[in-house]
Amino acid sequence: MNTPVNANLYALFAAHFPADREACCMETRDGLYYSWNDVERASAKIANLLLSLGLPPGSRIAVQVEKSPEALLLYLATLRAGYVYLPLNTAYRADEIAYFIGDAEPAVVVCAPQNFGWVAQIAFKADTGHVFTLSDQRSGTLLDRAVHQPDKCEIAARRADDLAAILYTSGTTGRSKGAMLSHDNLASNAKVLQQAWHWQPGDVLLHALPLFHVHGLFVASHGALLNGSKMIFLPKFDGAEVVRQLPRSTVFMGVPTYYVRLLAEPAFDRDCCANMRLFVSGSAPLLLDTFDAFIVRTGHTILERYGMSETTMLVSNPYEGARVGGSVGLPLPGVSVRVVNERGQACGVDEIGGIQVKGPNVFKGYWRMPEKTAEEFTGDGYFVTGDVGKFDAVGYLSIVGRSKDLIISGGYNVYPKEIESVLDEMAGVAESAVIGVPHPDFGEAVVAVVVGKSGARLSAEAMIADLKQKIANFKVPKRIVFVDELPRNTMGKVQKKVLRERYAKE
Ligand code: MCA
Ligand code: AMP
């Protein structure tokens, strides 16, 4: 009889930990060293703490903490105990957190110690049973409690389709939706990327991305964990620090802003990249100028890939073979990608259409939104990405735009509708339109165009200060302009294209 295989993602990682368990898994800037044994034991302790709470299967563990090795251990512990990890951007403010906690109803919330007061209030109101704290300095009630737990823990048995994580992502309209990702969604993508990007013995990942989105939590960390590779763990991206650490690293991943900022570092040159094997870019379009300047400065060609919270990675430039600037590359093995016109027919070479995807990487649906989920899939099971692109004659995909009204600023997504709703609620505001305009550092910057009520005296400065209290800081418009009226088409719809053109160069 076949023994059933445990599809728990943690089991996959554990099977690939290096034979030398005292080797380094994570090293911090302050010289802290976490061996694979440390990871095994510490994640067991946190998993045992979670298990001791007697939570029902499928319980969500919502986490809003600063980046630290312990934050990654908490993620691994959640997998190991068989619960569902729900990471939250540290920039989110009270109203945003209240929405996520209210919607996901987590059994456990873990927050930064300084936020305990307001987060606990929100969590207890939503019937969350347990609120722990975790700082980026190895303190907080989570670790205080976990330290007394046994350092061995069996990996919970999970099926391939069981949920491993929920990632909130805003859709085309309305509030954020929780994309439900299974153990197999994540495992299959990690395995495909390990092959595609030629992860190899001796690789060292320089980890500078945040841990609450697909790029830093899954693509980067999973690559190193599955390969048994060391991670140099930086608390956040800092150009000068990255330049210092590159000579000890072989793999780096970042959003385009990281590459723009690296190129602005005078010490960033061929010498500091001499040990590097791979630079990966994603989450937002990498400008051709950046791609070209990087080759000239370092001799390395950035490998650009394309992903989404709902699908993790779907397309990538090849490791061997041409990495084409301005293109996101070829569909990954096992992933089917097509470009479709308005009539639902497959587009020809160089013909622009909507990008759709099907494969083991595609999520299980939006949390408690079966209708929304159904709307985003075609009859034959393809997920409609909302991105617009074209295939060239050799099968390389280029993203040429988005059918969804989305701004990507420094790799973070901003949905205009959400900002417009907050602006429209403000005293003296009649209506508003939020757009993205080209920005040299963030790729796109958020700009709000506001019509005031007659007689209202509005101040952009005061409005920005107010917005900073209400929404995550990366969503706050870099600029607010006042106009008498918004341009509209004959149907009465605001012409954002006109606004984008008008403010693009300012
Ligand atoms: C910070 N600020 C921003 C952003 N980040 N403004 C616009 N866009 C941003 N992304 C603002 C702050 O509000 C603040 O404004 C000022 O910049 C300085 O803040 P600070 O925290 O010091 O900024 P920073 O440390 O320089 O951060 C910029 C950053 C960061 C390093 C580019 O945003 C970052 O790490 N982004 C990566 C995002 C990411 O991981 N994306 C992957 C998503 P003020 O001074 O006015 O208060 S995963 C994904 O998209 C998919 C699925 C995929 O394919 O990967
Ligand atoms: P998220 O909400 O974090 O899932 O963002 C996913 C979106 O990021 C995609 O639908 C794309 O619009 C965008 N994206 C990710 N990678 C790239 C890339 N390499 N080039 C252009 N856009 C990208």
Side-chain angles (χ1 to χ4, degrees):
M1 203 176 86
N2 287 338
T3 30
V5 178
N6 186 357
N8 190 315
L9 179 63
Y10 186 85
L12 175 73
F13 295 144
H16 290 83
F17 285 179
D20 177 8
R21 297 291 170 102
E22 285 307 320
C24 183
C25 170
M26 283 183 276
E27 184 194 304
T28 68
R29 206 176 39 174
D30 336 316
L32 287 176
Y33 177 106
Y34 297 70
S35 70
W36 296 90
N37 269 336
D38 293 335
V39 168
E40 205 32 45
R41 286 194 288 251
S43 65
K45 280 175 176 278
I46 303 173
N48 280 322
L49 169 61
L50 296 176
L51 289 166
S52 75
L53 305 174
L55 312 173
S59 289
R60 278 78 58 207
I61 315 294
V63 178
Q64 190 197 30
V65 298
E66 294 298 334
K67 183 176 174 184
S68 69
E70 286 68 27
L72 189 68
L73 292 170
L74 171 56
Y75 164 57
L76 294 176
T78 304
L79 292 175
R80 201 167 168 170
Y83 298 123
V84 180
Y85 195 69
L86 196 170
L88 294 165
N89 193 318
T90 47
Y92 292 149
R93 313 299 303 237
D95 282 356
E96 294 161 309
I97 293 294
Y99 170 74
F100 296 124
I101 290 183
D103 190 56
E105 300 187 288
V108 176
V109 171
V110 184
C111 67
Q114 68 273 20
N115 296 341
F116 179 79
W118 64 268
V119 174
Q121 221 173 3
I122 292 169
F124 293 139
K125 217 164 151 187
D127 282 339
T128 294
H130 311 270
V131 180
F132 295 106
T133 60
L134 175 64
S135 81
D136 55 359
Q137 299 298 316
R138 282 167 293 129
S139 63
T141 55
L142 183 87
L143 300 180
D144 292 347
R145 293 275 302 273
V147 81
H148 303 293
Q149 295 288 332
D151 65 3
K152 289 201 167 46
C153 174
E154 222 171 275
I155 303 169
R158 279 295 167 268
R159 290 181 311 244
D161 276 350
D162 285 338
L163 293 194
I166 297 179
L167 265 76
Y168 272 85
T169 166
S170 297
T172 35
T173 51
R175 305 293 316 239
S176 270
K177 299 176 288 195
M180 301 188 289
L181 294 161
S182 69
H183 286 267
D184 190 55
N185 288 149
L186 301 178
S188 65
N189 214 234
K191 287 190 267 192
V192 161
L193 292 180
Q194 190 193 24
Q195 296 282 319
W197 295 347
H198 290 213
W199 277 90
Q200 48 195 254
D203 267 339
V204 175
L205 171 73
L206 181 52
H207 195 305
L209 285 155
L211 276 184
F212 39 69
H213 287 308
V214 163
H215 203 162
L217 183 61
F218 300 152
V219 187
S221 309
H222 286 181
L225 290 166
L226 187 59
N227 201 54
S229 291
K230 169 169 146 177
M231 289 180 256
I232 298 176
F233 225 60
L234 302 184
K236 59 183 281 202
F237 176 83
D238 167 348
E241 184 60 23
V242 167
V243 170
R244 262 194 296 280
Q245 298 290 351
L246 278 173
R248 309 170 57 229
S249 315
T250 66
V251 179
F252 179 79
M253 300 188 192
V255 299
T257 300
Y258 291 10
Y259 292 107
V260 171
R261 291 190 182 183
L262 277 175
L263 287 166
E265 290 291 328
F268 182 62
D269 59 13
R270 269 172 200 258
D271 285 350
C272 76
C273 297
N275 196 42
M276 285 298 292
R277 183 175 71 73
L278 180 62
F279 288 94
V280 176
S281 176
S283 313
L286 180 71
L287 294 182
L288 205 50
D289 280 354
T290 313
F291 178 84
D292 289 338
F294 204 87
I295 298 175
V296 172
R297 180 83 74 87
T298 67
H300 284 272
T301 307
I302 297 173
L303 182 154
E304 186 174 6
R305 60 41 172 198
Y306 162 45
M308 292 185 77
S309 301
E310 289 93 335
T311 67
T312 62
M313 299 305 103
L314 56 152
V315 174
S316 170
N317 270 280
Y319 184 77
E320 281 170 343
R323 298 179 197 165
V324 179
S327 162
V328 288
L330 304 156
L332 285 161
V335 180
S336 170
V337 179
R338 66 187 186 191
V339 173
V340 170
N341 65 22
E342 275 162 9
R343 296 183 301 285
Q345 297 154 337
C347 289
V349 167
D350 285 333
E351 196 188 329
I352 293 172
I355 302 171
Q356 303 183 348
V357 55
K358 190 175 182 174
N361 55 316
V362 176
F363 74 137
K364 300 291 149 201
Y366 294 112
W367 172 254
R368 291 182 181 161
M369 289 187 182
E371 295 86 12
K372 277 259 171 267
T373 304
E375 277 170 27
E376 309 283 343
F377 281 87
T378 62
D380 58 350
Y382 277 76
F383 174 64
V384 179
T385 63
D387 293 311
V388 174
K390 58 178 184 178
F391 277 115
D392 71 8
V394 270
Y396 278 62
L397 180 72
S398 298
I399 300 174
V400 299
R402 304 171 200 131
S403 58
K404 51 193 176 190
D405 195 10
L406 162 71
I407 301 166
I408 306 185
S409 170
Y412 287 141
N413 291 359
V414 181
Y415 279 85
K417 197 168 177 342
E418 184 189 347
I419 319 303
E420 288 159 7
S421 313
V422 182
L423 283 167
D424 294 351
E425 291 279 298
M426 289 182 164
V429 174
E431 60 173 345
S432 61
V434 167
I435 52 168
V437 298
H439 188 277
D441 183 35
F442 292 125
E444 283 183 288
V446 179
V447 170
V449 186
V450 170
V451 180
K453 286 184 180 153
S454 91
R457 290 165 61 103
L458 293 170
S459 140
E461 224 172 45
M463 287 173 74
I464 286 175
D466 191 14
L467 284 169
K468 282 188 178 176
Q469 304 303 314
K470 294 184 169 136
I471 51 175
N473 54 14
F474 64 87
K475 299 179 188 170
V476 175
K478 300 288 178 217
R479 194 174 157 217
I480 297 181
V481 288
F482 299 104
V483 294
D484 292 335
E485 59 180 342
L486 297 172
R488 293 183 187 276
N489 64 15
T490 46
M491 311 284 286
K493 200 171 175 299
V494 175
Q495 291 173 299
K496 290 211 168 168
K497 193 164 174 278
V498 172
L499 291 175
R500 270 186 226 112
E501 281 162 8
R502 191 180 297 166
Y503 298 106
K505 289 202 177 60
E506 291 181 22

